[in-house]
Amino acid sequence: MDRSSLFQLIQEQLDPENTGFIPVENFTSLVEHHELQLDPSKLDMLLALVHSNEEGQVCYQELIELMNSKRSSSFRRAIANGRRTLQREILLDETGLGLYKRFVRYVAYEILPCETDRRWYFHQNRLCPPPVFIAVVTIVQIIVFMCYGIMLNKWVLQTYQPDFMKSPLVYHPGHRAQVWRFFSYMFMHVGLEQLGFNALLQLMIGVPLEMVHGILRISLLYMAGVLAGSLTVSITDMRAPVVGGSGGVYALCSAHLANVVMNWAGMRCPYKLLRMILALVCMSSEVGRAVWLRFSPPLPSSGPQPSFMAHLSGAVVGISMGLLILRSYEESLQKQCSWWVIVFSFITFLLFAIFWNIFAYELLEVQIPPNP
């Protein structure tokens, strides 16, 4: 019996009136005697759904979502109440796993705070689609940096080279009308140290996050941090250019760190306090370096140095939008009121920033540095 036949059997025989609910007794009998081969973990989930129900009926839609490897918030609550029926073995104690499966187990304990979610992710994970977004962004950033490094014969403080600032990728207040610069600046970096810091954090934090939460959510979070970074600079530091992917990187990092703090007791990643302190020290030192370069540049320059406000705005995006994304593993964001509040706030900020860039520079008579 294939999956579609099973669904048809359930609907026709167990829910003939199409009420959307199935009596627990009939459903239990079906689960125990069905002919469809299921993963042991998925069968445990079905039994947990049955035993956790208090009204004597099972929602047909929840069953469909489970069979298609999706879970609603109501089903997550059902699993939480019926956790006694889940498999008891601890992931860390399993032996004989291949290299990839061991890495998946590491990611599960690194990212997810709930044991049920960790088991679900570990058993249903497939390398399709692969976590390509963060990897592609990092590779493009490295290629762009190497091209400019070879062309300028300079690998640190590249912003002091006029040809570097003439790049069509750099955000410059004099080129605000070229909208792509509000995004493309993430491919340019001040020097080898900034590129190395961003690339390392992207790969260490971004790839596991993308493996768990998917390319759509993590790319949305990263690009929202990038866009918020350039827009914030255009409002708060109106004479400064922007380079580097720090807005997106800090959105990922702050979201992950906030998720760890909010779920401290449930996180199973080793040495989490030490790692938290090291991450905060590294991020703070990077912000401090950016502030120093902005206000006390080591060399004379023809114009203002890149702003550090992208770091801070990326962190704000991560704590607000990112924390909700990471706490909503396999739940529909569209059904959550808090998600729409955050989206509305971001759109409001976006519209305000657009009007600011159109009118404020002339009204305030801001002296923009000459276009490179």
Side-chain angles (χ1 to χ4, degrees):
M1 181 186 298
D2 59 15
R3 184 174 302 176
S4 60
S5 299
L6 178 61
F7 289 160
Q8 185 176 3
L9 172 65
I10 294 174
Q11 188 171 19
E12 292 179 354
Q13 298 186 11
L14 304 184
D15 187 23
E17 299 180 0
N18 197 25
T19 63
F21 294 93
I22 304 169
V24 168
E25 295 80 6
N26 297 342
F27 181 70
T28 303
S29 176
L30 175 67
V31 170
E32 293 176 350
H33 300 91
H34 71 84
E35 301 176 3
L36 180 65
Q37 297 298 320
L38 293 176
D39 293 335
S41 60
K42 188 169 293 187
L43 184 58
D44 286 338
M45 294 291 185
L46 283 170
L47 295 175
L49 179 63
V50 171
H51 292 298
S52 64
N53 188 274
E54 299 177 355
E55 300 179 358
Q57 55 189 8
V58 177
C59 177
Y60 177 74
Q61 183 60 37
E62 289 180 346
L63 172 64
I64 299 300
E65 291 178 349
L66 172 64
M67 299 297 292
N68 289 284
S69 299
K70 297 180 180 178
R71 293 183 290 169
S72 64
S73 58
S74 59
F75 181 72
R76 284 170 56 85
R77 288 194 295 271
I79 292 300
N81 294 332
R83 190 175 300 173
R84 62 186 179 276
T85 66
L86 295 177
Q87 296 178 356
R88 289 292 183 179
E89 66 268 17
I90 303 301
L91 297 183
L92 291 177
D93 293 339
E94 295 187 19
T95 59
L97 298 176
L99 180 62
Y100 172 72
K101 210 57 177 172
R102 290 200 301 269
F103 180 66
V104 170
R105 179 174 58 188
Y106 162 80
V107 170
Y109 278 94
E110 183 74 15
I111 302 299
L112 296 170
C114 176
E115 182 67 16
T116 302
D117 285 341
R118 287 193 286 258
R119 295 181 185 181
W120 175 272
Y121 170 74
F122 178 76
H123 286 289
Q124 64 88 35
N125 176 265
R126 302 291 185 272
L127 192 59
C128 184
V132 297
F133 174 76
I134 295 296
V136 169
V137 168
T138 304
I139 292 173
V140 173
Q141 288 173 340
I142 293 174
I143 292 175
V144 171
F145 178 81
M146 293 184 63
C147 291
Y148 277 94
I150 295 174
M151 180 179 67
L152 303 175
N153 193 24
K154 190 176 182 66
W155 302 95
V156 295
L157 298 177
Q158 292 183 344
T159 51
Y160 290 91
Q161 287 282 355
D163 291 338
F164 181 86
M165 298 304 295
K166 291 180 181 179
S167 170
L169 301 178
V170 174
Y171 168 80
H172 189 278
H175 293 304
R176 300 188 314 281
Q178 299 174 357
V179 180
W180 71 84
R181 291 177 180 260
F182 286 90
F183 295 93
S184 62
Y185 77 92
M186 71 180 186
F187 298 115
M188 306 291 289
H189 287 82
V190 172
L192 187 59
E193 69 286 353
Q194 185 190 31
L195 173 66
F197 179 83
N198 285 346
L200 182 63
L201 287 182
Q202 284 176 181
L203 295 176
M204 291 183 60
I205 296 179
V207 170
L209 287 177
E210 188 177 346
M211 289 180 62
V212 172
H213 297 283
I215 184 173
L216 292 179
R217 293 191 179 195
I218 298 306
S219 60
L220 172 63
L221 176 59
Y222 188 91
M223 297 307 296
V226 169
L227 180 58
S230 56
L231 291 177
T232 301
V233 171
S234 71
I235 296 173
T236 62
D237 200 358
M238 301 170 68
R239 289 173 45 84
V242 190
V243 295
S246 298
V249 172
Y250 274 63
L252 295 178
C253 293
S254 60
H256 177 59
L257 294 180
N259 189 46
V260 172
V261 172
M262 293 291 293
N263 302 278
W264 188 262
M267 300 301 297
R268 296 286 299 275
C269 49
Y271 308 108
K272 54 186 176 183
L273 179 59
L274 176 61
R275 297 165 65 181
M276 174 77 67
I277 295 175
L278 290 177
L280 292 176
V281 169
C282 291
M283 294 172 65
S284 301
S285 62
E286 172 64 15
V287 173
R289 187 191 67 87
V291 173
W292 172 66
L293 289 176
R294 174 67 179 89
F295 295 109
S296 300
L299 297 174
S301 178
S302 58
Q305 290 300 294
S307 177
F308 60 91
M309 291 302 298
H311 300 70
L312 304 182
S313 59
V316 172
V317 169
I319 294 175
S320 56
M321 179 185 296
L323 182 58
L324 180 61
I325 289 177
L326 301 193
R327 292 180 63 185
S328 303
Y329 170 65
E330 284 202 349
E331 291 182 34
S332 177
L333 293 173
Q334 294 86 339
K335 297 180 181 179
Q336 303 183 44
C337 179
S338 54
W339 169 251
W340 290 111
V341 171
I342 291 176
V343 170
F344 175 78
S345 301
F346 189 84
I347 293 177
T348 302
F349 166 73
L350 177 62
L351 294 176
F352 171 78
I354 292 174
F355 280 98
W356 181 277
N357 279 273
I358 294 175
F359 301 109
Y361 279 77
E362 293 183 1
L363 292 176
L364 298 176
E365 297 182 352
V366 178
Q367 298 296 322
I368 301 177
N371 293 338

